[in-house]
Amino acid sequence: MIYAVWVPLLMPFVAVPAARRLADALSPARAVRLLAATAVGLALCSVLALALLVVPGAARLSVVAALGELVKPLAAAPTAAAVPLALAAVALLAGCAAAVVRTARRLWAELRRAGESADSSGGELAVLRDSRPDAYALPALPGSPGRIVVTTGMLRALDPAERDALLAHERAHLAGHHHLFLAAAELAALCHPALRSLRAPMGYALERCADEAAATAVGDRRVAARAIGRAALAARASEGVRTRPRVALAAAAGPVPRRVAALLGRATPRPRVGRTAAAALLACLALSGAAALDATHDLHHSIEVAQGESPQH
């Protein structure tokens, strides 16, 4: 168990470089699904690995040994390493849990504040009287539907066709529940430091999904590209701090030049790179999950032996 348990903790460092290539090499929808599965799967496996490291050290305590009816020492880890590893794992798990709870509460509070500041007309579109150009998709909350929030400054910065493309972009975020994918990547990043690098590719892939939906809705990829470019230029030229929630996706966010190039067909397709990166990620997920299950099985076997039983293989 002591060897297999390290695989889920090391695998994110191997998987993340491959994951970064997905956003440009695969279709946006496939990239989003695979990035989300990678982030959540590797985060869960790493948390399970830390939990498994706690048990051998905790079993050295007489109270835990009595509760577990252990009549022999648990042989899942060397005695000299078991207690320090358990203490380190407990500290990491506590830190992860505290960070996840704190971040989840902060994200929820941001969404609530944004919902309260939006127009209470009850329609899909909420127009804020603000000279700073901005627009974003506000996810649905209990008692409040999903809204497209746009400022008067942004409406003035675009022509009618571009406004239609912008609204279609934000509407795609709402329809696809893209905030859930972004929140999953945000919370997974708190469980393993290597997974922090997946937040940017995830955000880019989600924006690309909405870009393609906007282009389809208006029937003109050039109009969609122009709307995104002008919205980004207007938003970045204005002064002031953005108050949108972290999980509220906006058309003017992210690497806009790459997105515009993709809409205009100027990006170089790399299907072979995408297939290779996807296969590498799936292999990393499978290996991490298999190692976690193997470590769990070994620990269970060690507990049975320590309880004086003779499990059958």
Side-chain angles (χ1 to χ4, degrees):
M1 189 275 286
I2 196 61
Y3 301 107
V5 77
W6 293 106
V7 174
L9 297 175
L10 297 175
M11 198 53 60
F13 294 104
V14 179
V16 166
R20 291 175 183 164
R21 300 175 177 269
L22 289 177
D24 282 320
L26 288 182
S27 68
R30 290 181 179 178
V32 165
R33 290 194 293 268
L34 195 48
L35 285 170
T38 298
V40 174
L42 293 179
L44 290 176
C45 288
S46 63
V47 169
L48 175 58
L50 289 175
L52 293 174
L53 285 173
V54 173
V55 178
R60 264 59 179 185
L61 299 175
S62 57
V63 174
V64 176
L67 289 175
E69 300 179 349
L70 305 182
V71 296
K72 300 177 183 179
L74 194 63
T79 303
V83 174
L85 284 175
L87 292 175
V90 167
L92 290 172
L93 285 172
C96 289
V100 167
V101 171
R102 184 170 58 249
T103 301
R105 293 181 63 181
R106 183 168 63 248
L107 295 178
W108 180 258
E110 290 176 357
L111 290 175
R112 295 293 298 180
R113 285 195 298 269
E116 291 170 359
S117 65
D119 183 18
S120 59
S121 62
E124 178 193 47
L125 182 64
V127 179
L128 301 182
R129 295 186 178 276
D130 191 335
S131 61
R132 296 173 299 178
D134 199 10
Y136 56 88
L138 184 64
L141 298 173
S144 174
R147 313 287 297 282
I148 297 173
V149 181
V150 61
T151 65
T152 52
M154 181 63 81
L155 292 177
R156 285 195 295 267
L158 306 178
D159 63 33
E162 292 165 352
R163 291 174 200 160
D164 289 341
L166 180 73
L167 296 180
H169 176 102
E170 304 302 347
R171 191 174 294 115
H173 282 317
L174 293 178
H177 303 287
H178 290 171
H179 64 286
L180 296 178
F181 293 98
L182 196 61
E186 188 79 21
L187 297 178
L190 301 175
C191 299
H192 196 289
L195 298 179
R196 296 171 187 170
S197 299
L198 294 184
R199 290 181 292 191
M202 174 65 81
Y204 172 73
L206 289 170
E207 292 300 339
R208 284 284 299 118
C209 283
D211 291 345
E212 293 295 329
T216 301
V218 299
D220 192 329
R221 299 181 70 83
R222 295 185 66 84
V223 170
R226 190 171 68 245
I228 292 164
R230 291 188 64 181
L233 288 174
R236 292 174 186 177
S238 66
E239 297 180 355
V241 179
R242 293 284 170 265
T243 58
R244 76 173 76 103
R246 192 182 310 180
V247 293
L249 292 114
V256 174
R258 284 170 59 197
R259 293 166 51 200
V260 170
L263 275 173
L264 297 179
R266 297 172 185 167
T268 303
R270 296 184 295 171
R272 181 175 299 179
V273 173
R275 289 193 295 269
T276 302
L281 278 187
L282 292 174
C284 288
L285 281 171
L287 185 58
S288 184
L293 291 175
D294 183 59
T296 303
H297 178 268
D298 285 350
L299 180 59
H300 181 262
H301 173 73
S302 297
I303 291 174
E304 289 183 329
V305 172
Q307 289 173 335
E309 299 178 12
S310 300
Q312 299 294 322
H313 294 282

